[in-house]
């Protein structure tokens, strides 16, 4: 998708990636707490498509920001849990990148906090 759009419109690939991730963030804001499992799957897919083979930390950072927003709106719904293995795998990869390591650690911490609250209330 990124290669297709960047070559067809002569746009830098990382600009296309940022655009895809920004689209995911717009959907997150638009849907808000009314998020459904279908919305969530689509949003996560957009985020991963956006950061796929990202060469620049700005793209990975944007993806992490989108995940933070996603965690924020899904805290009460429980729809995030089925996606945690994939998210955790991505966070492990991203935490090895010095440029976004702190942001990845922040997302990991938010997920852990989210799960511990779920365990206490669930």
């Amino acid at each position: 998708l990124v290669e297709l759009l960047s070559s067809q419109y002569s746009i830098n690939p990382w600009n296309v990636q940022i655009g895809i991730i920004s689209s995911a963030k717009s959907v997150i804001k638009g849907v808000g707490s009314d998020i459904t499992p279908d919305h969530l799957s689509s949003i996560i897919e957009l985020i991963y498509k956006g950061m796929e083979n990202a060469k620049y930390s700005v793209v990975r950072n944007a993806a992490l920001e989108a995940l933070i927003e996603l965690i924020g709106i899904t805290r009460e719904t429980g729809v995030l849990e089925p996606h945690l293995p994939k998210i955790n795998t991505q966070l492990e990869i991203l935490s090895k990148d010095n440029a976004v390591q702190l942001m990845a650690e922040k997302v990991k911490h938010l997920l852990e906090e989210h799960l511990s609250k779920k365990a206490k209330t669930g």
Side-chain angles (χ1 to χ4, degrees):
L1 177 65
V2 172
E3 279 91 31
L4 174 70
L5 290 172
S6 61
S7 65
Q8 187 169 355
Y9 298 104
S10 300
I11 303 172
N12 289 332
W14 69 272
N15 283 329
V16 174
Q17 290 174 303
I18 293 287
I20 292 170
I21 294 167
S22 294
S23 296
K25 289 169 75 174
S26 294
V27 173
I28 292 167
K29 287 179 182 164
V31 172
S33 61
D34 293 331
I35 194 163
T36 66
D38 288 339
H39 289 135
L40 187 63
S41 295
S42 298
I43 292 167
I44 289 174
E45 190 63 30
L46 267 177
I47 293 169
Y48 289 146
K49 284 289 181 200
M51 74 177 204
E52 196 171 56
N53 301 316
K55 294 179 182 166
Y56 298 99
S57 58
V58 68
V59 174
R60 292 186 288 274
N61 198 58
L64 288 166
E65 288 173 1
L67 285 174
I68 288 171
E69 289 183 30
L70 202 55
I71 293 165
I73 67 164
T74 59
R75 279 202 171 128
E76 305 302 320
T77 63
V79 295
L80 190 61
E81 279 72 9
H83 300 278
L84 289 177
K86 189 173 183 179
I87 291 171
N88 283 325
T89 300
Q90 287 298 320
L91 288 174
E92 286 303 315
I93 293 166
L94 291 170
S95 66
K96 293 175 181 149
D97 176 351
N98 290 335
V100 296
Q101 187 174 24
L102 290 175
M103 181 70 89
E105 292 298 325
K106 180 179 179 179
V107 174
K108 280 172 136 176
H109 177 73
L110 284 172
L111 278 175
E112 288 168 4
E113 204 175 78
H114 171 69
L115 292 174
S116 70
K117 285 181 184 175
K118 277 282 191 203
K120 288 177 186 172
T121 61

Short mmCIF file of all heavy atoms in Angstrom, two decimals, residues 55-108:
data_model
loop_
_atom_site.label_atom_id
_atom_site.label_comp_id
_atom_site.label_asym_id
_atom_site.label_seq_id
_atom_site.Cartn_x
_atom_site.Cartn_y
_atom_site.Cartn_z
N LYS A 55 11.17 3.06 8.06
CA LYS A 55 12.61 3.34 8.16
C LYS A 55 12.89 4.50 9.10
O LYS A 55 14.01 4.67 9.55
CB LYS A 55 13.18 3.64 6.78
CG LYS A 55 13.14 2.46 5.86
CD LYS A 55 13.70 2.81 4.51
CE LYS A 55 13.60 1.60 3.59
NZ LYS A 55 13.80 1.93 2.19
N TYR A 56 11.88 5.31 9.38
CA TYR A 56 12.09 6.51 10.19
C TYR A 56 11.36 6.41 11.53
O TYR A 56 10.22 5.98 11.60
CB TYR A 56 11.61 7.75 9.43
CG TYR A 56 12.39 7.98 8.16
CD1 TYR A 56 11.88 7.58 6.93
CD2 TYR A 56 13.66 8.54 8.20
CE1 TYR A 56 12.60 7.76 5.76
CE2 TYR A 56 14.40 8.72 7.04
CZ TYR A 56 13.87 8.33 5.83
OH TYR A 56 14.59 8.50 4.68
N SER A 57 12.03 6.87 12.57
CA SER A 57 11.45 6.78 13.91
C SER A 57 10.21 7.65 14.04
O SER A 57 9.35 7.37 14.86
CB SER A 57 12.49 7.15 14.97
OG SER A 57 12.99 8.45 14.75
N VAL A 58 10.08 8.69 13.24
CA VAL A 58 8.90 9.54 13.30
C VAL A 58 7.64 8.72 12.98
O VAL A 58 6.58 8.94 13.57
CB VAL A 58 9.04 10.79 12.39
CG1 VAL A 58 9.03 10.40 10.92
CG2 VAL A 58 7.95 11.79 12.66
N VAL A 59 7.76 7.76 12.10
CA VAL A 59 6.64 6.89 11.74
C VAL A 59 6.32 5.96 12.91
O VAL A 59 5.16 5.80 13.30
CB VAL A 59 6.93 6.08 10.46
CG1 VAL A 59 5.82 5.08 10.18
CG2 VAL A 59 7.13 7.01 9.28
N ARG A 60 7.35 5.36 13.48
CA ARG A 60 7.13 4.44 14.61
C ARG A 60 6.56 5.20 15.81
O ARG A 60 5.68 4.70 16.51
CB ARG A 60 8.44 3.74 14.95
CG ARG A 60 8.89 2.77 13.85
CD ARG A 60 10.10 1.97 14.25
NE ARG A 60 11.31 2.75 14.29
CZ ARG A 60 12.11 3.00 13.25
NH1 ARG A 60 11.80 2.51 12.06
NH2 ARG A 60 13.20 3.72 13.39
N ASN A 61 7.02 6.41 16.01
CA ASN A 61 6.52 7.23 17.10
C ASN A 61 5.04 7.56 16.89
O ASN A 61 4.24 7.50 17.83
CB ASN A 61 7.35 8.51 17.21
CG ASN A 61 7.18 9.18 18.54
OD1 ASN A 61 7.44 8.58 19.57
ND2 ASN A 61 6.74 10.42 18.51
N ALA A 62 4.66 7.89 15.68
CA ALA A 62 3.25 8.18 15.37
C ALA A 62 2.37 6.96 15.63
O ALA A 62 1.27 7.08 16.16
CB ALA A 62 3.10 8.63 13.91
N ALA A 63 2.89 5.78 15.30
CA ALA A 63 2.14 4.54 15.55
C ALA A 63 1.96 4.32 17.05
O ALA A 63 0.88 3.93 17.50
CB ALA A 63 2.86 3.35 14.92
N LEU A 64 2.99 4.60 17.81
CA LEU A 64 2.89 4.45 19.27
C LEU A 64 1.89 5.45 19.85
O LEU A 64 1.12 5.11 20.76
CB LEU A 64 4.27 4.61 19.91
CG LEU A 64 5.22 3.44 19.65
CD1 LEU A 64 6.65 3.81 20.01
CD2 LEU A 64 4.77 2.21 20.43
N GLU A 65 1.89 6.67 19.34
CA GLU A 65 0.91 7.66 19.79
C GLU A 65 -0.51 7.17 19.50
O GLU A 65 -1.42 7.35 20.32
CB GLU A 65 1.15 9.01 19.11
CG GLU A 65 2.38 9.72 19.60
CD GLU A 65 2.70 10.97 18.79
OE1 GLU A 65 1.95 11.29 17.84
OE2 GLU A 65 3.71 11.62 19.11
N ALA A 66 -0.71 6.57 18.34
CA ALA A 66 -2.03 6.04 18.00
C ALA A 66 -2.42 4.91 18.96
O ALA A 66 -3.58 4.83 19.38
CB ALA A 66 -2.04 5.54 16.56
N LEU A 67 -1.46 4.07 19.32
CA LEU A 67 -1.75 2.99 20.28
C LEU A 67 -2.13 3.57 21.65
O LEU A 67 -3.02 3.04 22.31
CB LEU A 67 -0.55 2.05 20.41
CG LEU A 67 -0.35 1.09 19.25
CD1 LEU A 67 0.95 0.32 19.42
CD2 LEU A 67 -1.52 0.13 19.11
N ILE A 68 -1.47 4.64 22.05
CA ILE A 68 -1.81 5.28 23.32
C ILE A 68 -3.26 5.76 23.29
O ILE A 68 -4.02 5.55 24.24
CB ILE A 68 -0.84 6.43 23.65
CG1 ILE A 68 0.53 5.86 24.03
CG2 ILE A 68 -1.39 7.32 24.76
CD1 ILE A 68 1.63 6.90 24.16
N GLU A 69 -3.65 6.40 22.21
CA GLU A 69 -5.04 6.86 22.08
C GLU A 69 -6.01 5.68 22.10
O GLU A 69 -7.07 5.74 22.71
CB GLU A 69 -5.22 7.67 20.81
CG GLU A 69 -4.55 9.03 20.87
CD GLU A 69 -4.79 9.87 19.64
OE1 GLU A 69 -5.85 9.72 19.00
OE2 GLU A 69 -3.91 10.69 19.33
N LEU A 70 -5.62 4.61 21.45
CA LEU A 70 -6.45 3.41 21.39
C LEU A 70 -6.63 2.80 22.78
O LEU A 70 -7.75 2.43 23.16
CB LEU A 70 -5.80 2.40 20.45
CG LEU A 70 -6.67 1.34 19.84
CD1 LEU A 70 -7.85 1.93 19.11
CD2 LEU A 70 -5.85 0.48 18.91
N ILE A 71 -5.56 2.72 23.53
CA ILE A 71 -5.64 2.20 24.90
C ILE A 71 -6.57 3.07 25.73
O ILE A 71 -7.39 2.57 26.49
CB ILE A 71 -4.24 2.11 25.53
CG1 ILE A 71 -3.39 1.06 24.83
CG2 ILE A 71 -4.34 1.80 27.03
CD1 ILE A 71 -1.91 1.13 25.13
N GLY A 72 -6.45 4.38 25.54
CA GLY A 72 -7.28 5.31 26.30
C GLY A 72 -8.77 5.10 26.09
O GLY A 72 -9.54 5.12 27.05
N ILE A 73 -9.19 4.88 24.86
CA ILE A 73 -10.64 4.74 24.62
C ILE A 73 -11.15 3.32 24.85
O ILE A 73 -12.35 3.12 24.93
CB ILE A 73 -11.07 5.23 23.22
CG1 ILE A 73 -10.50 4.36 22.12
CG2 ILE A 73 -10.74 6.69 23.04
CD1 ILE A 73 -11.19 4.57 20.79
N THR A 74 -10.26 2.36 24.94
CA THR A 74 -10.73 0.98 25.12
C THR A 74 -10.62 0.51 26.56
O THR A 74 -10.93 -0.64 26.86
CB THR A 74 -9.93 0.00 24.23
OG1 THR A 74 -8.55 0.08 24.56
CG2 THR A 74 -10.14 0.29 22.76
N ARG A 75 -10.21 1.37 27.44
CA ARG A 75 -10.01 0.97 28.85
C ARG A 75 -11.23 0.27 29.44
O ARG A 75 -11.10 -0.70 30.15
CB ARG A 75 -9.65 2.18 29.70
CG ARG A 75 -8.21 2.53 29.57
CD ARG A 75 -7.75 3.33 30.76
NE ARG A 75 -6.31 3.43 30.66
CZ ARG A 75 -5.64 4.54 30.72
NH1 ARG A 75 -6.28 5.66 30.92
NH2 ARG A 75 -4.34 4.54 30.62
N GLU A 76 -12.39 0.81 29.17
CA GLU A 76 -13.60 0.29 29.81
C GLU A 76 -14.30 -0.79 28.99
O GLU A 76 -15.20 -1.44 29.49
CB GLU A 76 -14.58 1.44 30.07
CG GLU A 76 -13.99 2.58 30.88
CD GLU A 76 -13.46 2.14 32.23
OE1 GLU A 76 -14.10 1.29 32.88
OE2 GLU A 76 -12.38 2.63 32.63
N THR A 77 -13.93 -0.96 27.74
CA THR A 77 -14.71 -1.83 26.86
C THR A 77 -14.25 -3.28 26.82
O THR A 77 -15.04 -4.17 26.55
CB THR A 77 -14.68 -1.30 25.42
OG1 THR A 77 -13.34 -1.34 24.96
CG2 THR A 77 -15.23 0.11 25.34
N GLY A 78 -12.97 -3.52 27.03
CA GLY A 78 -12.46 -4.89 26.97
C GLY A 78 -12.21 -5.40 25.56
O GLY A 78 -11.81 -6.54 25.37
N VAL A 79 -12.43 -4.55 24.54
CA VAL A 79 -12.26 -5.02 23.17
C VAL A 79 -10.78 -5.14 22.76
O VAL A 79 -10.48 -5.74 21.75
CB VAL A 79 -13.00 -4.12 22.14
CG1 VAL A 79 -14.49 -4.18 22.36
CG2 VAL A 79 -12.51 -2.69 22.18
N LEU A 80 -9.89 -4.59 23.57
CA LEU A 80 -8.47 -4.60 23.21
C LEU A 80 -7.81 -5.95 23.50
O LEU A 80 -6.86 -6.34 22.82
CB LEU A 80 -7.74 -3.49 23.98
CG LEU A 80 -6.32 -3.18 23.59
CD1 LEU A 80 -6.25 -2.72 22.15
CD2 LEU A 80 -5.75 -2.10 24.50
N GLU A 81 -8.31 -6.69 24.47
CA GLU A 81 -7.65 -7.91 24.92
C GLU A 81 -7.30 -8.92 23.83
O GLU A 81 -6.19 -9.43 23.83
CB GLU A 81 -8.47 -8.58 26.04
CG GLU A 81 -8.25 -7.99 27.41
CD GLU A 81 -8.87 -6.61 27.62
OE1 GLU A 81 -9.63 -6.13 26.75
OE2 GLU A 81 -8.58 -5.99 28.65
N PRO A 82 -8.18 -9.20 22.87
CA PRO A 82 -7.81 -10.17 21.83
C PRO A 82 -6.61 -9.74 20.98
O PRO A 82 -5.96 -10.57 20.35
CB PRO A 82 -9.07 -10.28 20.96
CG PRO A 82 -10.18 -9.79 21.81
CD PRO A 82 -9.58 -8.78 22.74
N HIS A 83 -6.31 -8.46 20.97
CA HIS A 83 -5.22 -7.93 20.14
C HIS A 83 -3.90 -7.78 20.91
O HIS A 83 -2.90 -7.40 20.32
CB HIS A 83 -5.63 -6.58 19.56
CG HIS A 83 -6.84 -6.66 18.70
ND1 HIS A 83 -6.79 -7.06 17.38
CD2 HIS A 83 -8.15 -6.43 18.97
CE1 HIS A 83 -8.01 -7.07 16.88
NE2 HIS A 83 -8.85 -6.69 17.83
N LEU A 84 -3.92 -8.08 22.20
CA LEU A 84 -2.73 -7.85 23.01
C LEU A 84 -1.49 -8.63 22.56
O LEU A 84 -0.40 -8.07 22.55
CB LEU A 84 -3.03 -8.13 24.48
CG LEU A 84 -3.93 -7.10 25.15
CD1 LEU A 84 -4.23 -7.51 26.58
CD2 LEU A 84 -3.34 -5.71 25.09
N PRO A 85 -1.61 -9.89 22.14
CA PRO A 85 -0.39 -10.59 21.69
C PRO A 85 0.31 -9.87 20.53
O PRO A 85 1.53 -9.69 20.55
CB PRO A 85 -0.89 -11.97 21.27
CG PRO A 85 -2.13 -12.17 22.08
CD PRO A 85 -2.75 -10.80 22.19
N LYS A 86 -0.47 -9.43 19.55
CA LYS A 86 0.12 -8.73 18.40
C LYS A 86 0.70 -7.38 18.82
O LYS A 86 1.79 -7.00 18.39
CB LYS A 86 -0.95 -8.54 17.32
CG LYS A 86 -0.40 -8.04 16.01
CD LYS A 86 -1.47 -8.03 14.93
CE LYS A 86 -0.91 -7.59 13.60
NZ LYS A 86 -1.89 -7.58 12.54
N ILE A 87 -0.01 -6.67 19.68
CA ILE A 87 0.47 -5.38 20.16
C ILE A 87 1.76 -5.56 20.95
O ILE A 87 2.73 -4.83 20.76
CB ILE A 87 -0.61 -4.66 21.01
CG1 ILE A 87 -1.78 -4.23 20.11
CG2 ILE A 87 -0.01 -3.46 21.73
CD1 ILE A 87 -2.98 -3.72 20.87
N ASN A 88 1.78 -6.55 21.83
CA ASN A 88 2.99 -6.79 22.64
C ASN A 88 4.18 -7.18 21.78
O ASN A 88 5.31 -6.77 22.05
CB ASN A 88 2.72 -7.86 23.71
CG ASN A 88 1.93 -7.29 24.87
OD1 ASN A 88 2.09 -6.14 25.25
ND2 ASN A 88 1.05 -8.11 25.42
N THR A 89 3.95 -7.95 20.74
CA THR A 89 5.03 -8.31 19.81
C THR A 89 5.60 -7.05 19.16
O THR A 89 6.82 -6.88 19.09
CB THR A 89 4.52 -9.28 18.73
OG1 THR A 89 4.04 -10.45 19.37
CG2 THR A 89 5.61 -9.63 17.74
N GLN A 90 4.73 -6.18 18.69
CA GLN A 90 5.18 -4.93 18.08
C GLN A 90 5.93 -4.06 19.08
O GLN A 90 6.94 -3.45 18.75
CB GLN A 90 4.00 -4.15 17.50
CG GLN A 90 3.42 -4.73 16.26
CD GLN A 90 4.42 -4.78 15.11
OE1 GLN A 90 5.20 -3.86 14.91
NE2 GLN A 90 4.41 -5.86 14.37
N LEU A 91 5.45 -4.01 20.32
CA LEU A 91 6.12 -3.21 21.34
C LEU A 91 7.51 -3.73 21.65
O LEU A 91 8.44 -2.95 21.88
CB LEU A 91 5.28 -3.16 22.62
CG LEU A 91 4.02 -2.32 22.54
CD1 LEU A 91 3.20 -2.45 23.81
CD2 LEU A 91 4.35 -0.85 22.26
N GLU A 92 7.66 -5.06 21.66
CA GLU A 92 8.99 -5.64 21.88
C GLU A 92 9.96 -5.22 20.78
O GLU A 92 11.10 -4.87 21.04
CB GLU A 92 8.90 -7.17 21.95
CG GLU A 92 8.32 -7.69 23.23
CD GLU A 92 9.07 -7.21 24.47
OE1 GLU A 92 10.32 -7.24 24.48
OE2 GLU A 92 8.39 -6.78 25.42
N ILE A 93 9.48 -5.24 19.54
CA ILE A 93 10.31 -4.82 18.41
C ILE A 93 10.66 -3.34 18.54
O ILE A 93 11.81 -2.94 18.40
CB ILE A 93 9.59 -5.11 17.07
CG1 ILE A 93 9.45 -6.62 16.86
CG2 ILE A 93 10.33 -4.45 15.91
CD1 ILE A 93 8.48 -7.01 15.76
N LEU A 94 9.66 -2.53 18.82
CA LEU A 94 9.86 -1.08 18.90
C LEU A 94 10.73 -0.67 20.08
O LEU A 94 11.46 0.31 20.01
CB LEU A 94 8.52 -0.36 18.96
CG LEU A 94 7.70 -0.42 17.68
CD1 LEU A 94 6.30 0.09 17.92
CD2 LEU A 94 8.38 0.36 16.57
N SER A 95 10.67 -1.42 21.17
CA SER A 95 11.46 -1.05 22.35
C SER A 95 12.96 -1.24 22.12
O SER A 95 13.78 -0.75 22.88
CB SER A 95 10.99 -1.82 23.59
OG SER A 95 11.25 -3.19 23.44
N LYS A 96 13.33 -1.92 21.04
CA LYS A 96 14.75 -2.08 20.70
C LYS A 96 15.28 -0.92 19.86
O LYS A 96 16.47 -0.82 19.61
CB LYS A 96 14.95 -3.41 19.96
CG LYS A 96 14.68 -4.60 20.85
CD LYS A 96 14.76 -5.90 20.11
CE LYS A 96 14.43 -7.01 21.10
NZ LYS A 96 13.80 -8.13 20.50
N ASP A 97 14.39 -0.05 19.43
CA ASP A 97 14.76 1.12 18.64
C ASP A 97 15.00 2.29 19.61
O ASP A 97 14.08 2.79 20.23
CB ASP A 97 13.63 1.46 17.66
CG ASP A 97 13.87 2.71 16.85
OD1 ASP A 97 14.84 3.45 17.12
OD2 ASP A 97 13.08 2.96 15.94
N ASN A 98 16.25 2.70 19.73
CA ASN A 98 16.60 3.76 20.68
C ASN A 98 15.78 5.02 20.50
O ASN A 98 15.48 5.71 21.47
CB ASN A 98 18.09 4.10 20.58
CG ASN A 98 18.96 2.98 21.12
OD1 ASN A 98 18.52 2.19 21.95
ND2 ASN A 98 20.19 2.91 20.65
N ALA A 99 15.43 5.35 19.27
CA ALA A 99 14.71 6.59 19.00
C ALA A 99 13.29 6.61 19.57
O ALA A 99 12.77 7.67 19.88
CB ALA A 99 14.68 6.86 17.50
N VAL A 100 12.68 5.45 19.69
CA VAL A 100 11.29 5.40 20.20
C VAL A 100 11.16 4.52 21.44
O VAL A 100 10.06 4.22 21.87
CB VAL A 100 10.31 4.92 19.10
CG1 VAL A 100 10.25 5.90 17.95
CG2 VAL A 100 10.63 3.54 18.61
N GLN A 101 12.28 4.14 22.01
CA GLN A 101 12.27 3.23 23.15
C GLN A 101 11.44 3.75 24.32
O GLN A 101 10.65 3.02 24.91
CB GLN A 101 13.71 2.98 23.61
CG GLN A 101 13.84 1.92 24.67
CD GLN A 101 15.29 1.61 24.97
OE1 GLN A 101 16.17 2.44 24.74
NE2 GLN A 101 15.54 0.44 25.48
N LEU A 102 11.59 5.04 24.66
CA LEU A 102 10.83 5.60 25.78
C LEU A 102 9.33 5.58 25.52
O LEU A 102 8.54 5.25 26.40
CB LEU A 102 11.30 7.03 26.09
CG LEU A 102 12.69 7.14 26.69
CD1 LEU A 102 13.09 8.61 26.84
CD2 LEU A 102 12.75 6.44 28.03
N MET A 103 8.94 5.90 24.30
CA MET A 103 7.52 5.88 23.95
C MET A 103 6.99 4.44 24.00
O MET A 103 5.88 4.20 24.48
CB MET A 103 7.30 6.49 22.57
CG MET A 103 5.85 6.54 22.14
SD MET A 103 4.86 7.71 23.04
CE MET A 103 5.10 9.14 22.03
N ALA A 104 7.76 3.49 23.52
CA ALA A 104 7.34 2.08 23.56
C ALA A 104 7.18 1.62 25.00
O ALA A 104 6.23 0.91 25.33
CB ALA A 104 8.35 1.20 22.82
N GLU A 105 8.10 2.04 25.86
CA GLU A 105 8.00 1.68 27.28
C GLU A 105 6.76 2.30 27.91
O GLU A 105 6.10 1.68 28.74
CB GLU A 105 9.26 2.12 28.03
CG GLU A 105 10.51 1.36 27.62
CD GLU A 105 10.43 -0.14 27.90
OE1 GLU A 105 9.82 -0.55 28.90
OE2 GLU A 105 10.97 -0.90 27.09
N LYS A 106 6.43 3.52 27.50
CA LYS A 106 5.23 4.19 28.01
C LYS A 106 3.98 3.40 27.61
O LYS A 106 3.07 3.19 28.41
CB LYS A 106 5.15 5.62 27.47
CG LYS A 106 3.93 6.37 27.94
CD LYS A 106 3.92 7.79 27.39
CE LYS A 106 2.68 8.52 27.86
NZ LYS A 106 2.64 9.90 27.38
N VAL A 107 3.93 2.95 26.37
CA VAL A 107 2.78 2.18 25.90
C VAL A 107 2.69 0.85 26.66
O VAL A 107 1.61 0.44 27.08
CB VAL A 107 2.84 1.94 24.37
CG1 VAL A 107 1.74 1.01 23.91
CG2 VAL A 107 2.76 3.25 23.62
N LYS A 108 3.84 0.20 26.85
CA LYS A 108 3.86 -1.06 27.62
C LYS A 108 3.31 -0.83 29.02
O LYS A 108 2.50 -1.61 29.53
CB LYS A 108 5.28 -1.61 27.72
CG LYS A 108 5.78 -2.33 26.53
CD LYS A 108 7.24 -2.61 26.74
CE LYS A 108 7.67 -3.98 26.38
NZ LYS A 108 9.12 -4.15 26.52
#
